[in-house]
Amino acid sequence: MYQLILQDCILLIHHCCIDRKEVSPVMLSPAYNHTMETPATFILVGIPGLQSSHLWLGISLSAMYIIALLGNTLIVTTIWMNSTLHEPMYFLLCVLAAVDMVMASSVVPKMVNIFCTGDSSISFNACFTQMFFVHLATAVETGLLLAMAFDRYVAICKPLHYKRILTPQVMLGMSLIITIRAVTFMTPLSWMVSHLPFCGSNVVLHSYCEHLALARLACADPMPSSLYSVIGSSIMVGSDVAFIAASYVLILRAVFGLSSKNAQLKTLSTCGSHVGVMALYYLPGMASIYAAWLGQDVVPLHTQVLLADLYLIIPATLNPIIYGMRTKQLRERIWSYLMHFLFDHFNLSS
């Protein structure tokens, strides 16, 4: 989601610097003129310049996708079936796992199809549906990270009031607000971009229908949608990051106010999984943003696209591993279910 901020800033700067004498009459037409014929399909080129490596990339993405599906499904199933895990932290983790599966499933199957079979065409409606769900999932995820930071703040700074504050109704309400906020932001953006006139090339220099890659193909000025994206993303992500930072400042103050070093370490370890998930979400995104900012002269286009691809699949693949390894109660339950499943399967086979 926060990738949209800098990417659209780049697009805005690009259009502001165009020489007015070179702007064609088509560019001066209304931004959302639907009288022009729109393409029936777009062509996704995959990763420009790395076509020779597409097969290996497809195999690698397939492996990561399978791990992501299995890991997140195991997390959701374990939490759902075990009543001792019906707590706010695990509820948020369950929602995060579901969002990760939506994010990965929105792009990876089509990317693997492009890399392995060369089928790079995608219909107009399917392309914008993919764009909507990709950015919707990233918008929901940043909201979930804020909710998880709030959960850790209440657990550490107000432990006696934890269950009274974070009731099931409150958790459900937080999840609904996060989802409604993301849908409210993404629906107008998707409408504006999909109603741009695409009367020229239909070749998307990307491996999925990324917002900026599509906007660059428009025959009209996409500045209204870019401006909306910059403002909306800045408000959403900026407020989330600010509240996350504030919550961790309060958490650290409470932790270092403890007299026992062991208590300090034990309390900090409870935040380790959340910090790891935040690092997986924000660091690859920042790398992708700076690559786009530096441009093709410094960072080749294939590197920019590859970073954008990994930004969507790496968190979904590693998040369940991080939580499975660092959360003792969840790790024990997952191991118990796996052993039970393998034992039953062995008995049936024998």
Side-chain angles (χ1 to χ4, degrees):
M1 167 53 57
Y2 66 98
Q3 281 183 301
L4 292 176
I5 301 174
L6 190 51
Q7 288 178 340
D8 285 308
C9 285
I10 296 169
L11 188 61
L12 286 169
I13 294 170
H14 171 74
H15 282 283
C16 288
C17 296
I18 293 177
D19 187 351
R20 294 179 181 274
K21 296 181 180 179
E22 296 179 355
V23 177
S24 66
V26 175
M27 292 294 291
L28 295 175
S29 62
Y32 309 116
N33 184 1
H34 241 303
T35 60
M36 298 179 179
E37 184 178 354
T38 56
T41 60
F42 287 105
I43 304 299
L44 297 167
V45 301
I47 302 180
L50 289 183
Q51 282 79 3
S52 60
S53 302
H54 272 184
L55 180 59
W56 293 110
L57 288 169
I59 294 172
S60 300
L61 281 174
S62 297
M64 295 174 71
Y65 182 56
I66 291 171
I67 294 171
L69 287 183
L70 291 177
N72 286 293
T73 300
L74 187 59
I75 292 276
V76 172
T77 304
T78 302
I79 294 173
W80 183 267
M81 294 181 63
N82 198 296
S83 59
T84 62
L85 298 179
H86 292 176
E87 297 179 3
M89 181 181 73
Y90 297 109
F91 172 80
L92 291 172
L93 178 56
C94 188
V95 177
L96 179 67
V99 171
D100 280 341
M101 286 191 283
V102 171
M103 184 187 299
S105 298
S106 298
V107 294
V108 175
K110 182 59 183 176
M111 287 165 56
V112 171
N113 198 26
I114 294 170
F115 295 154
C116 295
T117 68
D119 181 12
S120 57
S121 64
I122 184 171
S123 70
F124 184 88
N125 291 331
C127 189
F128 284 99
T129 301
Q130 184 189 68
M131 187 195 81
F132 176 83
F133 279 105
V134 167
H135 293 304
L136 177 72
T138 59
V140 170
E141 187 144 341
T142 184
L144 284 173
L145 292 178
L146 172 59
M148 293 167 79
F150 178 67
D151 168 80
R152 291 300 84 201
Y153 161 74
V154 176
I156 294 172
C157 299
K158 299 181 181 295
L160 299 179
H161 304 285
Y162 181 76
K163 292 186 177 181
R164 184 174 61 84
I165 295 174
L166 295 179
T167 63
Q169 293 77 13
V170 170
M171 301 306 299
L172 181 60
M174 288 171 59
S175 300
L176 288 175
I177 290 172
I178 291 168
T179 304
I180 292 171
R181 183 187 70 163
V183 172
T184 302
F185 169 71
M186 276 307 303
T187 300
L189 178 63
S190 297
W191 186 90
M192 285 189 284
V193 178
S194 64
H195 281 67
L196 286 168
F198 296 93
C199 54
S201 173
N202 67 335
V203 178
V204 183
L205 298 177
H206 217 290
S207 49
Y208 64 92
C209 294
E210 194 268 335
H211 167 257
L212 183 59
L214 289 173
R216 285 172 173 163
L217 297 179
C219 298
D221 187 357
M223 185 176 290
S225 64
S226 299
L227 189 61
Y228 173 87
S229 178
V230 168
I231 295 174
S233 299
S234 298
I235 293 174
M236 186 183 302
V237 177
S239 60
D240 288 351
V241 171
F243 283 119
I244 289 172
S247 68
Y248 269 90
V249 168
L250 295 174
I251 288 172
L252 291 175
R253 286 179 57 186
V255 169
F256 290 114
L258 299 174
S259 57
S260 170
K261 290 292 182 182
N262 289 333
Q264 291 178 1
L265 294 174
K266 184 177 179 180
T267 305
L268 286 174
S269 67
T270 64
C271 300
S273 300
H274 183 224
V275 172
V277 169
M278 286 195 298
L280 283 177
Y281 179 77
Y282 287 111
L283 292 181
M286 290 177 63
S288 180
I289 286 174
Y290 283 115
W293 174 258
L294 293 172
Q296 296 186 42
D297 294 338
V298 179
V299 182
L301 182 60
H302 66 266
T303 303
Q304 297 181 33
V305 175
L306 186 59
L307 285 172
D309 293 345
L310 294 177
Y311 166 68
L312 296 179
I313 187 62
I314 286 179
T317 304
L318 296 183
N319 282 352
I321 297 175
I322 290 175
Y323 272 104
M325 292 179 62
R326 291 193 59 88
T327 309
K328 181 180 179 181
Q329 191 175 4
L330 182 60
R331 181 175 67 248
E332 291 175 349
R333 294 298 178 184
I334 290 175
W335 183 252
S336 174
Y337 279 123
L338 286 176
M339 290 297 98
H340 186 267
F341 173 79
L342 293 174
F343 183 75
D344 287 348
H345 182 73
F346 177 78
N347 286 340
L348 289 174
S349 299
S350 59

